[in-house]
Amino acid sequence: MYDFISSEKKWQDKWNDLKVGEVNYDSSKPKFFLIWAYLTVSGFHHVGHMRGYSYADAICRYKRMNGYNVLLPAGGHATGNGTISKAYNVRSKDPQTIEYYKELGLNEKDLEKISTPFGFINFFKNIYIKDYKSYGFIGDWRRFVVTTDKEYNKFIEWQFKKLKQKDLLVQKPYFATACVECGPVAVDPSEMDLKKGGNAQKNEYTILKLKFEKDNQYVVVATLRPETIFGQTNIWLDYNVTYTKLKVGEEVWIASKEFAEKLKYQKENIEILDEIKGKDLVGKYVTPPIINREIIILPSEFCDPNIGTGIVTSVPSDAPIDWIGLFDLQRSKELTEKYGLDFEELKKIEPIAIINSKGFGKFPAIEICKKYNINSQKDIEKLEEAKKEVYKKGFHTGVMLENAGKYSNLKVEQAKEEIRNDLIKSNLADIFYDLSEEVVCRCGKQVVIKKIDNQWFIKYSDKELTNNTISHIKDMLLLPEQYKKNLPNILNWFDDRACARQGNWLGTKFPFDKTYTIEPISDSTLYPIFYLVSLYINQGIVKEEQLTENFFDFVYLGLGDSEIISKEISLDIKLLLQIRKDVEYWYPLDINLGGQDHLTVHFPVFLMNHVALLPKKYWPKGIIVNWWVINKSGKISKSKGGVRSIGQEAKTYSVDAIRLFYSNIASPFVNIDFPEEDLIKYKQRLEKIYYFIVDLENNFKLLEIKNLNNIDRWLESKFNQRLKNIIGSMDKIEFKEATDDIYFNIYNDLHWYLRRGGNNKTLLKEIIKKWTLSFGLFTPHIAEELNEVLGNQELVSTSVFPKVNDSKIDESLDTNEKNIENISSEIRTVLKMANIEKPKTIKIIVSKSWKYDFYKDLKSELEVTRNVGQIISTLMSKYLDYKSEIGKIVPKLLKQPSLLENITSQELDLKFFKEILLFLESEFSTKMEIYKAENFNDLKSETASPAKPGIIVE
RNA sequence: GCUGGGAUUCCCGAGUGGUCAAAGGGGCAGGACUUAAGAUCCUGUGCUUAGUGCUUCGCAGGUUCGAAUCCUGUUCCCAGCACCA
């Protein structure tokens, strides 16, 4: 048995000992610089990570074998509060956390180590490098960086100073999600910061001020549809809830207590004045802005004081729930009287048509309630669905009706914006942000939306920056291809981004206000260039205090005087100049490879920061986005558990098989599963190839040393064709195509060669050797192992990738082999049809001579016209003797023009069949006979054609 | 909602106007080898037929001498979406 595990260890040690991945400035070689996007330091690697890394390593190995000096560094992203909360969970002995780590092999001592944020980071940092090596990735791990390193902080400080100097840092108010206790938190599905509510959306409500009883006193309602203001007939609140009067500036607002509390985070000078009971409001009237007619306050059961202001405006024409609410009241005298309302008065309220939407009449809400058969405001689920449908249709296809005043005939999409802006401008409305569901911080306290007055932003909206970036990406390698189309849209859409926050976070202190910490996305945009300095930092040659603004200005931007700077920071001038040279040598980055989660955030900011801060010659040259490994429950991610240990997987399937699986199972740009059966198949495939080559090697002495015959030349030609394809695929980063050729097609070619009696020792040796080298890209361990079996001294990893010998490619040799397959297949079909298993003889009748000429003429005629009648009449005049046959043959051939390819002549076909006679006889274990149609009296002699010789089995 | 992508023969997955009943892999079936099993190798795998003919590439139309491939409509599915790495 081929021992995958010990072979892996053996070659990994060798690569490590020979420091294949450790690279330095070398002006004699072209450089290639690739990174994979930072790994978040939050636990173990899983098989999803290994997918991207495998692609990165395959590209790097290919480049290395083509003479490039290849730099592949790595680093860990630890800023933010991920590590803080992970370490906290360990420290506080959260049972789930402890169990998880124990399952993955950590002992008590390890747990102790990872119970502080920095302990956690250091522990995993070492594991990561071990993981890279254990999967056979060759990189320069000396340069490993963690974003919480103090030297890294200096780099980020420098970056932000540069951003400021370029006027790309701006301050303005911002509404952020924040825990009332611990400050800003991220609300996202990974729920890194949260206990609950990761899927919540930030909604922007328009607060309408409805005048109530006296000037400057308003009942306020929150709406997402300010354009429906013209259809208001009443407002809703809860009869049993006690509302609050609050002072907002000079005004008094009436709303729920919960709203008042939340508003405090978004507005200054909020004061709670008084309480007012819902039942005291019901039946009274308010005056909404713009429409200026009184509408009544009515009770309902669907007003949640936690949502919006707890009071809702009612537009029964377009909001299903409003219509049903009204309907419930209008049909029950009993109910209205209970609330002390005038039943007859209430019945007079009618919906007001305001919007014309495609597929709906005047009152969409009423129609949809009928459609969904909604009869009561208690049908909450149906109402929700109905609301969505009406809203969607209205938003996209709706047009405002005449009663909308100056907004008449505007599209809803447009009217919504204008109405909102006008209302706010004239102080008739306000903005309020709220979360769509309850969100709870990890600490247990509520998460709200909080206004931050002087929030710092990176100005990604900057026109010049955006345009420069968009025009730069035209020249970039961007994979998948569709991303190239998508990226300009993303860049245009990308708005200013809040870049620093207060609270308990790891990261670089914001240089212009040290109470802020730079947030995690913003500190991981320019970092590939830091690997060029981290090499010296990690060796202890360059110290934190030497990483001044002038230092970075010089090494990254070439600014300043090296002698002065060298003295200023007491750094050897030779070293300073060397670092500058390194930067000039390695930059720009050739490829940044990362998962699809980076599509709309990381990659855009990575690009824009490079474009903003570095000279054009240092702008990145490529981005490759790989998709994920998913399982039944969705994306494999650490935060959701369900992580597979990469070590266990490697033991079970072998590293080479896993890597081949990633490259061959599908394109890098689709999500894949990680199914055991497939992994096993790939492992078996590798074993098959291994034993095939080992057996061949053992039998080399049985083979002949001789000149090339036809089948030898075919193999040589075919192999060179495959190699050419492989190289083409690798240049286009098409792993699936490349691995299909390497692990399947060439294998099949060699089998065919042997079956056809190929036994040329010199040729086979040469081809097997080259083939083995090609394994070095995807399955490097087995490649080295086989290379050693073949007696080669040099490592595959440092060998030169085989070159194509174009002069050996001769496609006519393929035709020959193809014809052999075809005739074999035809014979088999005939045998099956005739129901003969063991034929005594097989006769092949080669078509009559004239047909060869005729086929050739027909083919060239086809290039002139596709008109059947015309073709026939042209050809008939030339082949007068065969008129009746031509009439039958031509229409058939027109349907199957492939039969006209590669027509030679009767003599050549006779020769061909004689040459393969022995092969066919052994394939069918019988006697073969070959005849000219002219000399063989049988029906088959008439039907035999150049593309299909007659076959008679007996 | 915004932006982008997709639907192919039992499955995965190639395929962008004729050479396509459609690569490759898997599964399944038959055969060879083997004491046997497994592995390996060969063959087959839409229906039909002495090598023919017919029907297929989400659904419905259209352009063309010719469409899996182009156009229109339609249904369904997927991905990313800002203090989240």
Side-chain angles (χ1 to χ4, degrees):
Chain A
M1 274 298 284
Y2 172 57
D3 185 349
F4 284 94
I5 293 172
S6 68
S7 161
E8 280 163 15
K9 178 88 178 58
K10 170 175 158 195
W11 296 106
Q12 285 162 11
D13 287 349
K14 203 148 238 170
W15 300 328
N16 203 39
D17 294 345
L18 293 172
K19 302 184 191 305
V20 180
E22 297 183 6
V23 291
N24 295 305
Y25 172 87
D26 179 354
S27 60
S28 72
K29 279 184 180 172
K31 66 90 190 182
F32 182 79
F33 183 12
L34 180 150
I35 63 155
W36 56 59
Y38 271 153
L39 168 73
T40 311
V41 181
S42 62
F44 289 94
H45 275 126
H46 54 71
V47 292
H49 294 113
M50 297 300 125
R51 185 179 184 193
Y53 299 171
S54 296
Y55 298 150
D57 191 58
I59 295 169
C60 286
R61 284 175 177 273
Y62 178 65
K63 287 287 175 183
R64 190 176 298 113
M65 290 179 82
N66 277 292
Y68 286 84
N69 194 19
V70 175
L71 175 56
L72 168 64
H77 194 254
T79 39
N81 89 339
T83 28
I84 294 177
S85 62
K86 296 272 170 189
Y88 172 81
N89 284 344
V90 175
R91 201 161 59 242
S92 60
K93 307 249 184 273
D94 171 57
Q96 223 183 329
T97 307
I98 301 291
E99 191 194 347
Y100 165 79
Y101 287 117
K102 281 198 169 159
E103 221 164 81
L104 286 160
L106 268 62
N107 56 32
E108 288 300 330
K109 240 187 178 167
D110 295 332
L111 287 172
E112 177 68 37
K113 279 187 203 158
I114 64 170
S115 65
T116 68
F118 282 95
F120 188 94
I121 292 166
N122 286 329
F123 181 83
F124 278 102
K125 171 181 159 175
N126 293 323
I127 287 188
Y128 294 153
I129 295 177
K130 232 182 261 168
D131 285 347
Y132 302 148
K133 291 182 179 170
S134 77
Y135 266 61
F137 306 135
I138 294 182
D140 194 346
W141 317 129
R142 296 173 303 168
R143 299 174 190 252
F144 198 90
V145 164
V146 180
T147 56
T148 45
D149 294 344
K150 51 193 192 307
E151 296 87 355
Y152 190 80
N153 297 154
K154 302 287 272 194
F155 166 63
I156 297 302
E157 272 178 34
W158 172 81
Q159 186 188 348
F160 273 75
K161 284 178 189 162
K162 297 301 117 178
L163 284 169
K164 181 112 187 286
Q165 285 163 20
K166 303 239 172 191
D167 285 328
L168 289 169
L169 287 183
V170 294
Q171 273 182 299
K172 55 184 179 181
Y174 181 63
F175 292 87
T177 48
C179 165
V180 296
E181 189 80 23
C182 12
V185 288
V187 175
D188 71 282
S190 78
E191 300 193 336
M192 197 79 97
D193 298 353
L194 307 175
K195 261 208 178 103
K196 149 173 193 207
N199 289 315
Q201 297 287 316
K202 188 162 97 180
N203 286 331
E204 186 189 285
Y205 288 100
T206 304
I207 301 290
L208 298 175
K209 302 181 193 172
L210 286 65
K211 195 170 153 202
F212 178 63
E213 289 183 342
K214 54 185 175 190
D215 280 346
N216 276 341
Q217 175 164 285
Y218 304 97
V219 170
V220 291
V221 298
T223 179
L224 292 168
R225 301 194 63 186
E227 77 280 10
T228 60
I229 188 167
F230 299 101
Q232 294 175 97
T233 57
N234 62 286
I235 64 172
W236 301 112
L237 49 67
D238 195 311
Y239 192 77
N240 299 314
V241 165
T242 302
Y243 292 88
T244 298
K245 278 190 179 175
L246 62 155
K247 193 163 176 267
V248 181
E250 295 302 307
E251 300 169 358
V252 174
W253 290 10
I254 294 166
S256 73
K257 199 161 163 271
E258 289 79 356
F259 169 74
E261 289 304 321
K262 285 188 280 192
L263 193 64
K264 281 183 184 169
Y265 293 101
Q266 296 178 25
K267 266 193 179 312
E268 288 103 52
N269 304 321
I270 306 280
E271 200 185 320
I272 293 180
L273 297 173
D274 204 357
E275 288 185 344
I276 181 162
K277 292 206 163 94
K279 64 177 171 194
D280 294 336
L281 287 163
V282 164
K284 295 189 171 156
Y285 287 82
V286 290
T287 315
I290 297 188
I291 60 170
N292 287 325
R293 62 182 145 74
E294 288 197 320
I295 57 174
I296 190 169
I297 301 174
L298 295 176
S300 83
E301 292 177 25
F302 51 75
C303 290
D304 184 343
N306 285 303
I307 297 174
T309 63
I311 305 176
V312 185
T313 189
S314 168
V315 184
S317 57
D318 285 73
I321 197 159
D322 294 342
W323 160 245
I324 285 295
L326 200 56
F327 181 68
D328 279 351
L329 282 177
Q330 285 178 338
R331 67 180 161 172
S332 166
K333 192 165 181 194
E334 197 187 334
L335 197 62
T336 37
E337 278 168 3
K338 188 183 126 196
Y339 291 128
L341 295 165
D342 181 340
F343 186 57
E344 292 310 316
E345 208 45 43
L346 208 66
K347 272 166 73 177
K348 287 185 193 157
I349 299 178
E350 280 180 13
I352 303 166
I354 47 167
I355 290 169
N356 182 17
S357 309
K358 195 176 154 191
F360 282 113
K362 282 165 92 177
F363 304 118
I366 302 177
E367 286 177 36
I368 200 103
C369 284
K370 275 192 190 133
K371 183 177 155 195
Y372 283 97
N373 197 22
I374 299 169
N375 292 312
S376 150
Q377 54 185 290
K378 286 174 182 145
D379 283 347
I380 294 162
E381 273 172 38
K382 281 191 199 162
L383 276 166
E384 190 56 32
E385 209 172 309
K387 181 178 90 184
K388 271 191 191 151
E389 191 175 327
V390 173
Y391 185 87
K392 208 168 153 181
K393 264 279 180 315
F395 184 77
H396 285 105
T397 67
V399 175
M400 303 302 293
L401 295 177
E402 295 302 330
N403 58 3
K406 66 185 254 210
Y407 310 102
S408 320
N409 297 321
L410 283 183
K411 282 186 180 164
V412 165
E413 237 178 304
Q414 200 182 345
K416 182 198 278 303
E417 283 288 303
E418 289 188 16
I419 293 172
R420 192 193 56 190
N421 293 342
D422 291 349
L423 284 170
I424 292 169
K425 227 183 276 165
S426 32
N427 201 27
L428 298 168
D430 213 318
I431 297 277
F432 171 68
Y433 293 90
D434 202 2
L435 291 159
S436 61
E437 55 183 280
E438 193 188 12
V439 182
V440 179
C441 177
R442 194 173 284 285
C443 77
K445 290 276 194 314
Q446 193 193 3
V447 171
V448 296
I449 302 212
K450 190 175 172 183
K451 184 184 180 197
I452 298 159
D453 282 320
N454 292 308
Q455 173 66 48
W456 286 94
F457 287 83
I458 298 176
K459 198 178 162 197
Y460 290 119
S461 66
D462 187 85
K463 266 268 161 299
E464 194 191 339
L465 174 56
T466 304
N467 290 339
N468 284 344
T469 311
I470 289 174
S471 74
H472 173 64
I473 59 176
K474 291 191 184 110
D475 304 323
M476 286 181 71
L477 166 77
L478 289 169
L479 293 174
E481 221 131 276
Q482 75 228 29
Y483 190 43
K484 196 157 195 157
K485 217 161 80 184
N486 204 356
L487 198 46
N489 296 326
I490 297 171
L491 290 167
N492 276 320
W493 157 88
F494 212 100
D495 205 352
D496 297 345
R497 187 186 171 91
C499 62
R501 52 191 186 181
Q502 289 177 311
N504 183 24
W505 314 93
L506 297 183
T508 306
K509 294 288 166 230
F510 190 66
F512 311 107
D513 182 347
K514 301 272 185 184
T515 66
Y516 279 80
T517 305
I518 292 169
E519 66 86 27
I521 296 286
S522 302
D523 77 356
S524 54
T525 58
L526 201 64
Y527 65 93
I529 205 168
F530 189 68
Y531 290 123
L532 308 182
V533 174
S534 69
L535 172 68
Y536 301 100
I537 294 168
N538 291 350
Q539 291 172 353
I541 309 174
V542 175
K543 299 268 191 297
E544 181 201 349
E545 58 274 15
Q546 292 169 316
L547 301 172
T548 61
E549 187 174 355
N550 286 344
F551 167 83
F552 284 122
D553 276 351
F554 179 75
V555 298
Y556 289 159
L557 303 173
L559 299 175
D561 183 309
S562 53
E563 283 188 37
I564 296 172
I565 295 166
S566 154
K567 278 197 199 112
E568 194 178 275
I569 60 172
S570 8
L571 186 72
D572 181 5
I573 188 157
K574 269 196 220 143
L575 182 56
L576 185 64
L577 290 168
Q578 182 58 51
I579 299 175
R580 172 67 189 150
K581 252 164 99 180
D582 283 5
V583 170
E584 286 182 310
Y585 176 69
W586 290 111
Y587 240 57
L589 181 72
D590 290 281
I591 287 173
N592 183 351
L593 183 148
Q596 63 169 336
D597 41 351
H598 295 122
L599 282 167
T600 39
V601 183
H602 169 68
F603 287 134
V605 294
F606 154 77
L607 284 171
M608 287 210 255
N609 276 276
H610 275 81
V611 170
L613 301 178
L614 298 179
K616 195 168 181 6
K617 61 178 176 179
Y618 291 162
W619 295 356
K621 291 171 79 175
I623 290 176
I624 298 177
V625 190
N626 68 274
W627 263 231
W628 280 318
V629 176
I630 55 169
N631 55 23
K632 278 161 239 102
S633 57
K635 178 194 165 195
I636 293 185
S637 79
K638 282 165 290 196
S639 52
K640 284 185 187 151
V643 173
R644 295 159 177 275
S645 143
I646 58 160
Q648 192 50 48
E649 304 296 351
K651 256 185 220 148
T652 314
Y653 306 118
S654 85
V655 167
D656 281 342
I658 294 173
R659 295 178 52 153
L660 177 58
F661 162 80
Y662 287 138
S663 295
N664 188 257
I665 192 74
S667 118
F669 317 123
V670 293
N671 283 335
I672 55 172
D673 209 337
F674 197 80
E676 182 176 29
E677 318 85 71
D678 286 357
L679 269 304
I680 287 172
K681 287 293 159 199
Y682 280 103
K683 188 177 182 185
Q684 285 171 350
R685 164 67 43 176
L686 289 175
E687 277 176 332
K688 213 152 108 169
I689 291 174
Y690 177 82
Y691 287 110
F692 177 72
I693 291 180
V694 168
D695 287 348
L696 211 57
E697 160 71 16
N698 289 339
N699 291 322
F700 268 151
K701 52 187 177 300
L702 303 177
L703 301 177
E704 293 175 34
I705 297 174
K706 58 173 187 182
N707 293 329
L708 300 181
N709 64 20
N710 257 357
I711 190 65
D712 296 333
R713 279 205 300 278
W714 171 80
L715 180 65
E716 206 175 23
S717 162
K718 197 79 211 168
F719 183 79
N720 277 288
Q721 284 177 51
R722 300 280 191 213
L723 196 56
K724 198 172 183 173
N725 266 333
I726 292 165
I727 289 167
S729 304
M730 287 309 294
D731 288 341
K732 285 181 280 177
I733 324 273
E734 285 172 349
F735 304 125
K736 165 92 176 140
E737 286 76 359
T739 49
D740 269 349
D741 274 328
I742 297 173
Y743 299 91
F744 296 95
N745 294 335
I746 293 179
Y747 180 82
N748 291 345
D749 294 339
L750 283 160
H751 268 278
W752 176 253
Y753 172 77
L754 296 177
R755 201 168 134 207
R756 287 272 283 112
N759 63 351
N760 191 312
K761 183 172 179 173
T762 334
L763 177 67
L764 271 172
K765 269 202 145 163
E766 184 196 322
I767 284 177
I768 298 287
K769 182 180 171 186
K770 287 183 180 170
W771 187 33
T772 304
L773 287 175
S774 75
F775 301 155
L777 307 179
F778 299 98
T779 55
H781 308 91
I782 204 166
E784 298 286 8
E785 197 66 37
L786 281 166
N787 190 53
E788 191 181 57
V789 168
L790 295 173
N792 298 312
Q793 299 295 317
E794 200 185 348
L795 285 178
V796 170
S797 304
T798 53
S799 293
V800 175
F801 200 77
K803 299 263 181 295
V804 177
N805 189 340
D806 267 309
S807 68
K808 304 289 186 194
I809 296 178
D810 176 355
E811 282 173 22
S812 72
L813 294 164
D814 283 338
T815 313
N816 212 41
E817 296 310 307
K818 192 85 204 149
N819 288 341
I820 296 173
E821 279 185 69
N822 286 346
I823 191 73
S824 308
S825 173
E826 298 266 308
I827 294 171
R828 266 185 217 104
T829 311
V830 175
L831 284 171
K832 201 175 142 203
M833 291 301 119
N835 209 6
I836 296 175
E837 265 188 44
K838 298 203 165 134
K840 288 198 262 319
T841 57
I842 298 174
K843 293 176 180 141
I844 290 179
I845 298 133
V846 178
S847 161
K848 286 184 178 168
S849 185
W850 72 270
K851 285 190 186 169
Y852 285 87
D853 298 329
F854 176 76
Y855 269 54
K856 284 182 206 163
D857 284 341
L858 176 57
K859 196 185 172 203
S860 48
E861 213 40 51
L862 265 183
E863 276 149 32
V864 181
T865 176
R866 293 265 173 179
N867 185 310
V868 189
Q870 202 181 323
I871 291 172
I872 292 180
S873 66
T874 313
L875 289 172
M876 279 204 179
S877 61
K878 196 170 169 191
Y879 294 91
L880 292 168
D881 297 344
Y882 307 106
K883 276 188 175 178
S884 64
E885 281 183 70
I886 288 174
K888 281 184 224 154
I889 300 174
V890 174
K892 256 190 209 173
L893 286 173
L894 285 183
K895 283 177 105 174
Q896 244 186 312
S898 60
L899 294 177
L900 294 170
E901 296 298 317
N902 306 312
I903 300 304
T904 55
S905 68
Q906 194 189 43
E907 298 80 70
L908 285 173
D909 268 358
L910 278 169
K911 189 168 161 253
F912 165 73
F913 285 117
K914 276 177 192 151
E915 270 172 13
I916 63 163
L917 190 79
L918 286 175
F919 172 73
L920 291 178
E921 285 188 338
S922 88
E923 279 288 297
F924 294 98
S925 328
T926 186
K927 198 166 150 35
M928 303 286 304
E929 291 168 9
I930 295 160
Y931 299 93
K932 257 194 214 180
E934 283 87 346
N935 304 338
F936 194 82
N937 191 16
D938 190 282
L939 182 66
K940 294 285 171 194
S941 296
E942 304 307 316
T943 53
S945 76
K948 285 184 176 245
I951 295 164
I952 298 170
V953 296
E954 285 162 353

